[in-house]
Amino acid sequence: MSAAGAARPAAAGAFLGTAKSRLLPASIPFRFFAAAAIFHAVFWAWLALAAEAVPHFVSGGGRVLGAVHFLTLGVFLAAAFGAAFQLLPVATKRPLGSTWAPRLVSWLLLPAVPVFAIGLSEHIAWAAIAGGSAAAAAALLGAGVLARNLAKPGGMIAVVAHVGLAIGALATLAILGTLLALDQRFAFLPGRGGLAAAHAALAIYGFMGLLALGFSYVLIPMFALSPAPPSRPALASLGLAGGGLIAVVGGAVAAWPPMTVAGIAAGLAATALHLVLMRRALAKRMRRKLGPFFVLVGTAWICLPLSLLLAGALALDMAIPNGVALFGAVALVGWLLSFVAAIFQRIVPFLAAMHASGKRGPPLVSTLTPERTLAVHRFAHLGALVLLVAGIAAGEPRLVQAAAGIGLAGALALARFVFQVLKRMQEARRA
Amino acid sequence: MRITAETRVGTALAADPALAARLIAFHPAFKRLNNPILRRTMAKLVTFAEASRVAGVELAALLAVANGETPPAERAASPSPAAPAAARPDWAAAAAEALDVRPILAAGRDPFREVMACAARIGEGGVLRLDAPFDPAPLRRVLAGKGFEDYAEALGPEHWRIHFRRRAAGPPPAEPGAAKTWREDAAAHIDVRGLEAPQPMLAILRLLESADCPPTVIVHHEREPLFLYPELAERGWSHEIVPGDPGEVRLRLTRGRA
């Protein structure tokens, strides 16, 4: 039977505007995913080069900052755009519209990432400014595309609200990031340290954090085949997270720790509520075995509150050895990278199956998914995380380098996974 | 073309101009096909299964006549077994906005827009009382998708009264079983319109995995459930889009991959 189906009455067909039109051309989400997979490997390689400086990193340019931006822009932002451009229309029940804007986002962002990251790493001012500006332009354009889709949403109000606030955070951090890049050359910003902290908070907990939390309300139930959590408590969690974020950013800019600590406490409350909702949803799931990818989701769910506790300890000036680097490892690698990698492993073959759907219907997701390759990534990622945290805590660069090596092996496995899925998708289309 | 229970009357009429005469000879209820408005609108939406219910005739007999297998006169238009009448809900007696489409149809106009405009004015808990010359099954489905429940009663040979009440808005049903399901002509039907993702997918999969699920399931949705397709494939079900009502995406799911 044909997936495309029988002919429809013309009026009904014109009226329907089926969601087939909301499936973007495969090249759009997959270019972002392929780039994210490549930058993931580059991140670990760069971290290996920067290993000596990692444990004691606090702030400032150099290879650690460069590695961080390979991760945040090249992996997180690229993967977020690839997923959001395809998934947000499902939540809002509105097509994304023309494809030129997501394409332009990719043309701006993907080349900008290495230019910016290398500029930061090697203190090349023009590269940092040019790359940073292009990345910021891509971020603002992408935010605009998503914001337009959010106008008059058709449903899933909790998801839409999270994404809306995340977009606001993205726009703000993009502007802040551009100013910080310019300031490295022209030194005009007062209180640069506070602004950099605000930029980091907006990036980690604002854009990526709220996006992860928001899409969790639809993706986790979708993959576990469980009911979505109710909107009201999800919105309450968002209210706490949003208020907490504003307090953290305000406290950083004003250099007033009590406000920062209050914001972190609100963030912890939001996290607790979010995790309770997730747990309750999973308790009612149809899919008994969650699959290996849930190990990464579980790791992310442990590291999120841990990162907030570390942030709180830093704000309270508690003596945590190499606290800033430790916070970075737990928040960026333990929480966000684990979560993004987990969703990646499910969404890439899922989307590939839909794009490969032909006369015989879609190929099985299981036939498109190279499980062994994913297992390699999973073990490598977890091993790298443990070693990285241990290396930073102990102030031992060799452990950090070992972690980066293992992480790189995992990243190469994940990249292989993406390209294997793409290859199988093309083969299924031709069959 | 081979006419089946799910073939649209309008599609069959377009393919076989002599069909209308056969149907009218078979049962007087089909005289409505002489009305050009009804032929242009309702006939395009109504399936033969629905037509058999509206006319009160056996589906098998109707299909035999429609396919030219037996002359209309030979087939006794025996009434189909009447479905047990549902109890009249209390709300059907409430004050309502009333619309009588019989004069509109008699004047040769399509009343769909007026009906939709009236329905749009009905607030939560409000009631629309519609008088029509027949049971407008497709319209009832359209309004069900817009959050209305309904109760229909036959007041006379050419007079039906359908009460539509707009359900109170609230959080989407937490349980997938809140989707409306029913059996029709050996197929299971499930209406997931109005449910938020991933409730539709869960409801459909629960139905497919239930012990007594027949090999054919018809899904009434408001958008194409792209994320459902890989799950169907994993479970050995194939799918195709079939004609549905305005604003509806209707899928036929069949056990066994193509």
Side-chain angles (χ1 to χ4, degrees):
Chain A
M1 284 184 191
S2 161
R8 308 167 195 150
F15 188 89
L16 279 173
T18 68
K20 246 328 190 205
S21 65
R22 294 201 274 275
L23 196 61
L24 292 172
S27 68
I28 293 179
F30 282 106
R31 70 181 63 182
F32 287 102
F33 294 150
I38 292 169
F39 286 130
H40 180 203
V42 173
F43 157 70
W44 284 113
W46 219 257
L47 203 71
L49 292 174
E52 200 62 45
V54 167
H56 309 293
F57 176 80
V58 175
S59 65
R63 284 188 181 159
V64 177
L65 197 65
V68 166
H69 283 85
F70 270 121
L71 184 63
T72 54
L73 293 176
V75 181
F76 296 160
L77 188 60
F81 276 148
F85 286 148
Q86 185 55 83
L87 293 177
L88 190 62
V90 174
T92 60
K93 300 183 197 176
R94 297 178 71 217
L96 202 63
S98 67
T99 58
W100 70 264
R103 288 184 208 273
L104 182 55
V105 169
S106 73
W107 296 331
L108 284 169
L109 176 66
L110 303 184
V113 171
V115 172
F116 181 53
I118 292 170
L120 285 179
S121 295
E122 309 304 315
H123 304 282
I124 306 171
W126 69 262
I129 292 169
S133 303
L140 289 169
L141 177 60
V145 170
L146 296 175
R148 194 164 147 261
N149 192 258
L150 282 175
K152 296 184 195 169
M156 298 173 83
I157 198 69
V159 176
V160 167
H162 277 79
V163 174
L165 213 58
I167 290 169
L170 176 63
T172 311
L173 79 94
I175 294 167
L176 262 181
T178 309
L179 292 173
L180 286 164
L182 285 166
D183 184 69
Q184 274 212 307
R185 171 74 176 84
F186 301 109
F188 61 92
L189 285 176
R192 182 195 163 84
L195 289 172
H199 172 82
L202 283 167
I204 296 171
Y205 297 106
F207 174 62
M208 277 310 300
L210 290 176
L211 211 64
L213 264 57
F215 275 124
S216 288
Y217 289 121
V218 64
L219 289 175
I220 301 295
M222 194 174 85
F223 293 139
L225 298 180
S226 70
S231 296
R232 272 209 193 119
L235 288 170
S237 167
L238 175 63
L240 285 165
L245 183 66
I246 291 170
V248 164
V249 169
V253 171
W256 192 37
M259 196 171 174
T260 304
V261 172
I264 291 169
L268 273 167
T271 299
L273 183 51
H274 174 81
L275 293 178
V276 163
L277 292 175
M278 289 285 104
R279 189 176 156 75
R280 280 190 192 159
L282 288 175
K284 297 177 192 170
R285 67 185 191 269
M286 281 173 66
R287 203 189 297 278
R288 286 291 99 200
K289 289 185 181 173
L290 288 170
F293 93 105
F294 238 85
V295 171
L296 294 174
V297 174
T299 304
W301 284 348
I302 291 169
C303 288
L304 166 55
L306 263 179
S307 73
L308 287 166
L309 288 170
L310 274 170
L314 289 170
L316 289 168
D317 246 342
M318 292 170 82
I320 309 244
N322 304 322
V324 172
L326 203 57
F327 163 77
V330 172
L332 294 175
V333 179
W335 171 37
L336 287 174
L337 186 56
S338 300
F339 185 81
V340 168
I343 299 301
F344 213 61
Q345 293 180 14
R346 289 307 306 268
I347 208 81
V348 168
F350 223 81
L351 280 179
M354 289 194 290
H355 280 286
S357 188
K359 287 181 184 172
R360 296 183 174 196
L364 299 183
V365 172
S366 50
T367 60
L368 290 180
T369 309
E371 289 291 349
R372 272 194 207 153
T373 311
L374 289 179
V376 170
H377 162 262
R378 201 162 43 248
F379 286 116
H381 173 80
L382 293 172
L385 173 63
V386 168
L387 269 180
L388 182 63
V389 168
I392 291 171
E396 187 46 72
R398 282 174 297 182
L399 278 180
V400 171
Q401 202 157 46
I406 294 171
L408 176 60
L412 289 172
L414 197 61
R416 184 163 183 257
F417 154 77
V418 171
F419 290 105
Q420 276 177 312
V421 170
L422 285 174
K423 186 177 163 220
R424 291 180 187 185
M425 179 180 82
Q426 302 291 11
E427 285 165 2
R429 271 173 161 175
R430 283 193 291 264
Chain B
M1 70 179 283
R2 179 83 196 152
I3 295 170
T4 67
E6 290 190 24
T7 306
R8 302 279 156 167
V9 172
T11 307
L13 287 171
D16 179 5
L19 174 60
R22 287 204 301 280
L23 293 176
I24 292 167
F26 173 60
H27 194 282
F30 290 100
K31 280 184 186 166
R32 293 179 193 128
L33 292 174
N34 288 330
N35 183 321
I37 295 293
L38 289 179
R39 203 150 163 168
R40 265 205 320 272
T41 56
M42 296 298 290
K44 281 189 176 173
L45 301 173
V46 172
T47 63
F48 274 84
E50 286 164 342
S52 77
R53 277 199 307 281
V54 170
V57 298
E58 271 188 14
L59 176 61
L62 175 61
L63 290 177
V65 167
N67 284 308
E69 287 163 5
T70 48
E74 280 188 20
R75 270 287 203 179
S78 51
S80 56
R88 194 174 203 265
D90 293 337
W91 58 261
E97 172 146 1
L99 176 65
D100 189 341
V101 299
R102 290 173 297 171
I104 301 173
L105 286 165
R109 288 191 295 112
D110 181 357
F112 187 75
R113 276 197 185 156
E114 277 101 329
V115 174
M116 289 296 114
C118 271
R121 289 196 293 271
I122 305 294
E124 283 176 24
V127 177
L128 167 65
R129 190 176 68 234
L130 184 79
D131 287 279
F134 51 83
D135 178 9
L139 175 68
R140 290 168 71 180
R141 277 206 305 280
V142 169
L143 289 179
K146 293 187 181 304
F148 284 87
E149 54 186 337
D150 62 66
Y151 173 76
E153 48 190 356
L155 300 183
E158 297 264 330
H159 185 192
W160 278 74
R161 178 165 289 169
I162 304 91
H163 308 263
F164 294 98
R165 181 172 76 157
R166 189 186 288 278
R167 292 188 202 96
E175 293 301 314
K180 195 173 159 189
T181 57
W182 68 97
R183 292 285 178 108
E184 194 176 300
D185 307 318
H189 287 247
I190 179 165
D191 192 331
V192 295
R193 289 173 289 188
L195 300 182
E196 288 197 343
Q199 317 293 351
M201 184 163 72
L202 298 185
I204 294 164
L205 292 177
R206 274 193 201 271
L207 177 63
L208 299 187
E209 291 179 1
S210 60
D212 59 347
C213 180
T216 302
V217 172
I218 307 295
V219 176
H220 303 266
H221 212 316
E222 54 198 345
R223 57 188 179 275
E224 195 175 355
L226 298 175
F227 291 102
L228 174 68
Y229 293 161
E231 298 287 346
L232 292 176
E234 292 286 334
R235 285 162 177 75
W237 285 75
S238 59
H239 66 276
E240 67 171 323
I241 296 176
V242 295
D245 297 330
E248 178 194 0
V249 175
R250 189 176 297 188
L251 294 164
R252 175 168 35 229
L253 310 183
T254 308
R255 188 178 285 131
R257 279 175 64 78

